[in-house]
Amino acid sequence: MRTQVAIIGGGPSGLLLGQLLHRQGIDNIVLERKTRDYVLGRIRAGILETGLVDLMRKAGVSERMDRESFVHDGTVITDGNTHFEINFKELTGDHVIVYGQTELTRDLYDAREECGAQTVFNTENVQIHDADSDAPYVTYEVDGEQHRIDCDYVAGCDGFHGVSRKTIPEDVRNEYEKVYPFGWLGILSETPPVHDELIYANSERGFALCSMRNENLSRYYIQCSLTDSPEDWSDDAFWEELKRRIPAEMADKLVTGPTIEKSIAPLRSFVTEPMRWGRLFLCGDAAHIVPPTGAKGLNTAASDIHYLFEGLSAFYANGDASGLDTYSEKALSRIWKAERFSWWMTNILHRFPDQTDFDIKMQRADLDFLRSNRDAQKVMAQNYIGLPY
Ligand code: RFL
Ligand code: PHB
């Protein structure tokens, strides 16, 4: 088989790139290790920046998102029993939207099927060959049978555990990592959200987040120990702990009910440099991870896709390779700022096991400054709604 761009990974990064390229008449094949249903079963991000929304529109897949998503003009931050609002709209003129990653991915799969672009599921043993030559190719197996795709470029969109990043030789790769000493226990429940904006809560008992998917679907998280497993937490225990971590007036309004999903995610900051090696380009979680506190994971994946798409479009339109040559530099410059923001949000809102009284005073001072200083709020809002591409 031959294609112009071989895309490894059928998560949001790979699918969005595939759709943008397809609209531009650039042939591509997506290789996905799992099934469509498996990918759609993963409950992940919920907050989309305008940059990602615009890319979905450009890819022609925004119809349902435009209809069903919810605009959020601000967010609430709590410190113990007190709270304050960061009003994105007033501070920046922009907003974020709530639209689940699951729905976004479903829209992209539907569009891909509709336009007849090729996706191969259940691929095993994917290998990228000769990425540092002019003639790269990808091999993989399905049901024990070996296949080969010759291509011009390979987009490594296969997430943190994929093969693409590891294809770059170790002596070329620089990896930067910070692993946090706690996780997030997340639940989904068919209950109305406790508030119409997200609540990021700092409490003595640890962090909590009240998020949502729609008027009757809430997403809540609490900071938990890395040794916990979801089975350790009954629904009642989860709700009780969440109530203790948010201000009493909010806890009183919380509607509880059975959970329909419960999982634990570890928190990590990670960046690999460079994001390009020869004709291989890394995008999204394959190249970088942020702790979810700043809601930046999917949104940084989107900015990578923007830069790569612009580079590939210019190359196929008129042979101009300058966008591809500067891909890694441009993507990383934005990534590091999102890394900083996510790290900062994580630091000011969580309890750390080795935190001293001094550290807690510093956290309080940071929150107090944010509560009372409009410039600090503006910086926070600019980062949250997403830095320009
Ligand atoms: P994905 O989604 O991991 O998709 C990679 C795909 O590649 C496939 N794959 C392979 N395919 C072929 N061959 C191989 N060898 C392969 N190895 C892997 C996988 O099966 C998969 O389908 O990466 P992608 O596309 O870069 O997307 C990144 C986002 O999924 C991720 O950054 C976000 O979910 C992070 N995130 C959030 N991001 C936000 O922007 N806003 C949020 O509110 C937000 N909340 C979250 C989050 C992530 C979370 N978890 C569980 C990590 C909340 C949570 C709890
Ligand atoms: C979510 O709704 O899943 C969500 C929202 C905001 C975050 C992280 C996760 O910062």
Side-chain angles (χ1 to χ4, degrees):
M1 267 189 290
R2 180 163 175 94
T3 190
Q4 288 171 300
V5 183
I7 301 175
I8 323 278
S13 299
L15 294 171
L16 181 57
L17 178 65
Q19 208 55 29
L20 288 163
L21 292 175
H22 178 81
R23 299 250 309 179
Q24 201 73 7
I26 302 168
D27 190 53
N28 62 86
I29 299 176
V30 169
L31 302 180
E32 168 54 50
R33 186 173 54 173
K34 303 283 188 185
T35 62
R36 175 188 153 125
D37 284 349
Y38 183 95
V39 175
L40 292 179
R42 294 191 288 229
I43 313 290
R44 289 186 169 182
I47 297 290
L48 313 189
E49 297 171 0
T50 303
L52 171 49
V53 171
D54 288 346
L55 274 181
M56 288 288 284
R57 291 191 181 135
K58 195 169 180 172
V61 275
S62 66
E63 199 206 318
R64 193 163 69 100
M65 180 187 74
D66 285 332
R67 206 175 50 237
E68 295 181 9
S69 63
F70 298 85
V71 170
H72 278 213
D73 286 330
T75 194
V76 173
I77 297 182
T78 77
D79 184 9
N81 232 353
T82 67
H83 73 274
F84 57 97
E85 200 214 0
I86 305 287
N87 190 319
F88 309 140
K89 192 173 178 196
E90 213 177 276
L91 293 158
T92 69
D94 205 350
H95 56 256
V96 291
I97 65 161
V98 168
Y99 192 63
Q101 177 169 333
T102 311
E103 303 312 317
L104 174 141
T105 310
R106 191 190 309 281
D107 295 343
L108 286 163
Y109 268 125
D110 286 350
R112 194 162 177 87
E113 269 162 35
E114 208 169 293
C115 70
Q118 195 178 349
T119 312
V120 185
F121 292 100
N122 296 314
T123 56
E124 288 176 87
N125 195 20
V126 170
Q127 289 181 32
I128 303 163
H129 307 266
D130 296 349
D132 58 341
S133 80
D134 286 343
Y137 64 99
V138 177
T139 56
Y140 62 95
E141 288 161 28
V142 177
D143 296 332
E145 201 179 310
Q146 174 111 21
H147 302 265
R148 169 177 170 145
I149 302 175
D150 291 279
C151 54
D152 300 333
Y153 292 103
V154 181
C157 303
D158 49 354
F160 185 64
H161 300 287
V163 295
S164 299
R165 185 176 66 253
K166 293 167 201 145
T167 302
I168 301 180
E170 269 179 39
D171 59 346
V172 176
R173 238 189 306 149
N174 293 300
E175 300 192 337
Y176 304 86
E177 183 173 50
K178 182 175 181 64
V179 175
Y180 299 85
F182 40 74
W184 278 18
L185 169 65
I187 64 111
L188 202 56
S189 88
E190 283 168 335
T191 50
V194 64
H195 187 61
D196 55 5
E197 288 180 343
L198 266 62
I199 301 171
Y200 286 88
N202 177 324
S203 92
E204 261 175 21
R205 300 180 65 89
F207 171 78
L209 170 60
C210 306
S211 182
M212 65 198 73
R213 291 294 176 269
N214 61 44
E215 309 91 333
N216 199 41
L217 193 56
S218 297
R219 179 80 168 145
Y220 294 106
Y221 297 94
I222 54 174
Q223 176 184 348
C224 67
S225 161
L226 279 173
T227 55
D228 285 2
S229 72
E231 301 77 56
D232 299 336
W233 286 88
S234 67
D235 289 359
D236 285 347
F238 181 90
W239 293 120
E240 277 316 304
E241 188 57 36
L242 176 62
K243 281 185 191 167
R244 290 195 194 112
R245 295 187 189 192
I246 58 178
E249 57 176 306
M250 294 169 179
D252 289 346
K253 284 194 211 134
L254 183 75
V255 179
T256 63
T259 66
I260 52 175
E261 199 261 354
K262 203 182 275 163
S263 55
I264 292 183
L267 268 69
R268 178 196 306 273
S269 299
F270 174 87
V271 180
T272 191
E273 294 185 344
M275 285 171 59
R276 174 206 187 160
W277 183 61
R279 287 176 173 254
L280 167 65
F281 295 85
L282 301 181
C283 307
D285 279 15
H288 41 77
I289 297 287
V290 285
T293 328
K296 288 283 160 260
L298 181 58
N299 292 302
T300 46
S303 59
D304 294 350
I305 297 305
H306 162 79
Y307 295 125
L308 184 54
F309 171 65
E310 292 297 318
L312 288 168
S313 293
F315 175 77
Y316 283 109
N318 50 35
D320 173 6
S322 60
L324 294 176
D325 291 341
T326 51
Y327 167 75
S328 181
E329 200 185 308
K330 280 196 267 194
L332 283 166
S333 159
R334 191 174 186 278
I335 294 308
W336 276 114
K337 293 176 195 109
E339 290 283 345
R340 186 208 65 81
F341 177 66
S342 308
W343 163 85
W344 173 75
M345 284 279 281
T346 305
N347 279 329
I348 63 165
L349 292 170
H350 290 75
R351 285 291 133 163
F352 288 71
D354 57 355
Q355 213 166 18
T356 63
D357 288 348
F358 179 83
D359 297 331
I360 291 174
K361 286 285 187 193
M362 290 297 99
Q363 214 179 46
R364 276 266 145 73
D366 228 326
L367 283 171
D368 222 23
F369 187 58
L370 188 59
R371 181 200 300 267
S372 56
N373 187 294
R374 194 179 150 87
D375 291 334
Q377 291 189 1
K378 197 165 176 176
V379 169
M380 192 271 177
Q382 280 172 338
N383 280 279
Y384 196 91
I385 58 119
L387 298 175
Y389 286 2

